[in-house]
Amino acid sequence: MIAFIASAVFIGGNATAKGKAVSDASVKENIIQASIASYPGVCACPFNRARNGSACGKRSAWSKAGGYAPVCYEKEVTTEMVKQWREQNQS
């Protein structure tokens, strides 16, 4: 899970403009979006939609133990993850 989160933080990209600070909320959203994008399927999180349009719900990777552990919700983003994202994405 640590490696997955680290890759999600890295994939987040550089979302800072020169001289402009990014809010914690924006950083958290970037981390979540990167985490979801790094999942190889369509059902990373319960709120995602399967290919047939149905809600992923309990079929999502987030809902299953073991394997992928995507970050889907703001409450899951730790202060350390925000710190790492800022260090890797400073302008």
Side-chain angles (χ1 to χ4, degrees):
M1 181 169 159
I2 301 284
F4 180 77
I5 291 171
S7 68
V9 171
F10 176 75
I11 292 170
N14 188 351
T16 59
K18 286 189 177 183
K20 295 199 177 201
V22 178
S23 70
D24 282 353
S26 292
V27 171
K28 289 177 181 181
E29 184 61 28
N30 284 326
I31 291 169
I32 292 167
Q33 292 305 317
S35 177
I36 293 170
S38 69
Y39 182 68
V42 295
C43 282
C45 300
F47 53 78
N48 292 135
R49 295 279 174 186
R51 284 180 177 66
N52 67 4
S54 64
C56 292
K58 292 182 180 181
R59 294 176 291 162
S60 69
W62 184 89
S63 299
K64 295 179 180 179
Y68 284 94
V71 178
C72 296
Y73 301 102
E74 189 174 318
K75 66 183 179 185
E76 298 174 307
V77 181
T78 65
T79 303
E80 182 61 29
M81 291 165 70
V82 171
K83 179 182 172 191
Q84 287 178 339
W85 189 94
R86 288 189 186 283
E87 289 171 358
Q88 293 174 355
N89 294 283
Q90 59 188 341
S91 47

